[in-house]
Amino acid sequence: MSKRIYNFNAGPAALPLPVLEEIQAEFLDFKGSGMSITEVSHRSKWFDDVINDAIARSRRLLNLSDDYQVLFIQGGASMQFAMIPMNFLPDGQTADYVDTGTWSTKAIAEARIQEKAIQMVASSKDRNYAYIPKQIAFTPGAAYVHITSNNTIKGTQWADYPDTAGVPLIADMSSDFLCRPLDIAPFGMVYAGAQKNIGPAGVCMVIVRKDLLDRVPEGLPSMLKYTTYAAKNSMYNTPPCFAIYTVQLVLKWLEETVGGLEKMAAANREKAKAIYDLMDSSSFYSGTADADSRSMMNVTFRLPNEELEAQFVAQALENGFGGLKGHRSVGGCRASIYNATSLEAVQALVDFMRTFEETSR
Ligand SMILES: Cc1ncc(COP(=O)(O)O)c(C=O)c1O
């Protein structure tokens, strides 16, 4: 097999090797069909089994009650930014948004394009989004509260979710979905573009509380209504079959190989701690997020100057570590250490960081 690198990409990102191997092994003949999964009909039993198994596994992993429905929608997390206010924010009501960086800001912009009545109830813009706001005064009776659970670019993550006094929380979990156990009870909806923690690009997983579906206005185009997906098990039209199939295999890996979300969280904590400990003991690497707001998934850091950062990224690549350049909008460096990134990869990175620091001084 060709050499695989240590992949620290922010998304699309590393997938578990056993998942890739399983895809490879059954790619030409899916379950005795004589066809690839990319060739079978989405109306076949083969694909029905795939999507239903993905749904059943996500229900088990998250202990979802019958109050919630699992949907697969194309258009990425970005389309959810538009669909959420379109479907769940009726005229005459308001919704609260918390701005914790680029992706929250984009979600807010999509609601404003529709001239919806939304309020930004908290923002961490004042310190370049280095922290998660605390003690937020939410609007009583709001239609929902929107947050971004993990800020991929700024390297911050909600450690605990805010108490919204019964107003349904809606969270963009694109970059930390299934990284730890989740108590779904306060959530009206969670959604995640697959291409970071649960699969390839092309599908967004949505878990919605069924009573919210009663709010969906009749007049919306079919493909922009959650009810269309809910009524047809996400197969109103041709779904992104290959992406859903890969998600199914990742969920199987999480359940059967990792052993569930408690174990996944323990592994993620250990990985993140290894890099943050190095940063905390070094005056060479400095984290950009406040300690109490640090992300377990995206570790963002700076070196003493931009020249050293460029050297760091280039030398890392030469040594088999990919994806360490920070997002183009903020610069610096970032190690994305999603579920599929192994502790071994992280330890190798920490060793490389130590060596780089020593040789650069
Ligand atoms: C937290 C978060 N939300 C939304 C997006 C946008 O996702 P998509 O490209 O699937 O629209 C990203 C992509 O990086 C993200 O990190």
Side-chain angles (χ1 to χ4, degrees), residues 10-11 75-81 103-104 106 148-153 172-176 191-196 201-204 298 327 334 338:
S78 300
M79 200 167 81
Q80 297 306 305
F81 298 164
W103 301 110
S104 324
K106 290 198 173 188
T148 311
S149 62
N150 183 75
N151 299 283
T152 326
I153 295 176
D172 173 2
M173 295 198 173
S174 294
S175 50
D176 69 350
Y191 62 101
Q195 67 272 16
K196 293 157 202 301
V203 71
C204 185
N298 309 96
H327 190 267
R334 170 175 59 177
Y338 298 121

Side-chain angles (χ1 to χ4, degrees), residues 118-238:
I118 62 155
Q119 336 218 32
M120 199 203 289
V121 286
S123 167
S124 47
K125 192 174 181 187
D126 59 333
R127 282 202 293 112
N128 198 19
Y129 300 108
Y131 67 101
I132 298 291
K134 293 172 192 69
Q135 285 161 358
I136 302 166
F138 294 105
T139 311
Y144 60 82
V145 172
H146 183 277
I147 61 168
T148 311
S149 62
N150 183 75
N151 299 283
T152 326
I153 295 176
K154 305 292 180 178
T156 62
Q157 182 177 27
W158 293 78
D160 302 297
Y161 296 113
D163 180 0
T164 57
V167 174
L169 260 175
I170 295 185
D172 173 2
M173 295 198 173
S174 294
S175 50
D176 69 350
F177 188 52
L178 303 179
C179 81
R180 56 187 175 187
L182 177 71
D183 171 16
I184 197 83
F187 290 93
M189 179 176 134
V190 302
Y191 62 101
Q195 67 272 16
K196 293 157 202 301
N197 236 358
I198 55 164
V203 71
C204 185
M205 201 159 158
V206 172
I207 298 174
V208 63
R209 213 173 66 201
K210 288 178 188 163
D211 63 291
L212 265 73
L213 297 175
D214 297 339
R215 298 186 193 174
V216 176
E218 264 310 306
L220 294 181
S222 307
M223 288 297 286
L224 296 175
K225 280 203 280 206
Y226 289 109
T227 40
T228 303
Y229 297 84
K232 299 283 183 188
N233 201 24
S234 301
M235 289 189 280
Y236 167 74
N237 72 331
T238 319

Side-chain angles (χ1 to χ4, degrees), residues 9-88:
N9 279 337
L15 284 169
L17 186 57
V19 167
L20 297 176
E21 286 169 343
E22 194 166 345
I23 293 170
Q24 187 178 42
E26 61 187 11
F27 194 65
L28 294 185
D29 180 8
F30 181 70
K31 309 268 184 247
S33 66
M35 297 175 274
S36 157
I37 183 68
T38 56
E39 299 170 298
V40 303
S41 167
H42 61 293
R43 306 285 176 208
S44 65
K45 167 139 177 31
W46 290 294
F47 189 71
D48 239 7
D49 287 349
V50 166
I51 195 165
N52 289 334
D53 187 62
I55 293 167
R57 287 183 187 282
S58 49
R59 300 192 79 90
R60 282 197 296 271
L61 281 161
L62 291 165
N63 296 317
L64 298 182
S65 72
D66 284 347
D67 295 344
Y68 289 86
Q69 190 156 0
V70 179
L71 309 175
F72 294 96
I73 301 181
Q74 302 193 48
S78 300
M79 200 167 81
Q80 297 306 305
F81 298 164
M83 279 178 72
I84 290 162
M86 201 179 278
N87 282 264
F88 298 144

